[in-house]
Amino acid sequence: MWSLGELAEAERDSLWPAPAKSAFEYIAGFTADGTDHTYNFTSISQTYDSLRVVAYIKEKASNQWRPYVRLNGDTSSYYYVTTMYGDGGGFGSASYSNTVAITMPLTPYNDYPYVYTMDLPGYNSSSIVSPTLSYTGMWNNNGSESPRQIMVGGLWNGTAAITSIRLYDQNSYTLASGSTVALFGKTGD
């Protein structure tokens, strides 16, 4: 416990520790209006150590949006995906190679809102294959089904620093109005 005099001296002598910095800095984002199925982040600054995409997807009665991700506009079969998933009914895993995007292999439940995150550590390196890690958690508002969790590890076999990220639904299903997609950057640990 500090006395009032000690607090005054610490203030006077600038002895306070630096204020905590947020781990991630907001870069850009979108709020869906129910008409778009593609969201692009372009001209991404190379000043961060890693990136994070966060999407909050509101529920739809049918044709729920399912993210596919392409990096730097690459439409070639240079993506690799390994996934693990589980819910109250069981669990499983799958691997896919030479795909045209990093995918979420399971279609989200209709009427389920969900949160999707994708981390891109070392996105600004031109000397490594770019790894990604995605996580999705979804739940049913009426409680009739168990929550579902999906983890996806992805690789993009490209050696250029990532300057653009495209999220889209391959069936052109749109995001529910009010859903959000945002990009964040992180510097340091």
Side-chain angles (χ1 to χ4, degrees):
M1 171 97 47
W2 291 45
S3 73
L4 190 53
E6 290 172 322
L7 288 172
E9 287 175 15
E11 176 69 22
R12 179 195 71 218
D13 297 335
S14 299
L15 297 177
W16 294 108
K21 222 177 141 181
S22 174
F24 285 92
E25 178 182 322
Y26 175 84
I27 298 172
F30 305 95
T31 300
D33 64 5
T35 63
D36 293 325
H37 73 279
T38 300
Y39 298 87
N40 293 298
F41 296 104
T42 59
S43 303
I44 297 171
S45 170
Q46 300 297 294
T47 59
Y48 302 100
D49 295 323
S50 63
L51 298 174
R52 175 173 284 176
V53 175
V54 179
Y56 171 69
I57 314 304
K58 294 185 137 197
E59 67 265 14
K60 284 177 64 178
S62 63
N63 301 329
Q64 183 66 289
W65 188 80
R66 174 173 144 191
Y68 281 63
V69 179
R70 287 189 175 151
L71 305 172
N72 288 358
D74 189 347
T75 60
S76 301
S77 299
Y78 296 140
Y79 300 93
Y80 301 85
V81 177
T82 298
T83 186
M84 297 183 301
Y85 54 88
D87 60 22
F91 60 91
S93 65
S95 293
Y96 308 92
S97 59
N98 301 316
T99 65
V100 297
I102 296 169
T103 64
M104 183 169 74
L106 296 176
T107 302
Y109 296 130
N110 291 320
D111 286 331
Y112 269 53
Y114 66 95
V115 175
Y116 170 84
T117 63
M118 173 182 266
D119 289 331
L120 297 103
Y123 78 101
N124 54 0
S125 175
S126 59
S127 61
I128 63 170
V129 173
S130 296
T132 66
L133 178 62
S134 304
Y135 172 79
T136 303
M138 57 188 79
W139 57 96
N140 185 304
N141 281 337
N142 65 22
S144 64
E145 298 180 41
S146 299
R148 177 181 278 184
Q149 309 296 316
I150 305 168
M151 296 286 294
V152 177
L155 287 175
W156 174 53
N157 195 13
T159 56
I162 296 170
T163 58
S164 69
I165 300 171
R166 178 179 187 224
L167 292 96
Y168 68 100
D169 184 284
Q170 75 169 2
N171 297 311
S172 299
Y173 296 155
T174 60
L175 268 176
S177 182
S179 298
T180 59
V181 180
L183 178 65
F184 298 86
K186 180 180 177 187
T187 303
D189 294 334

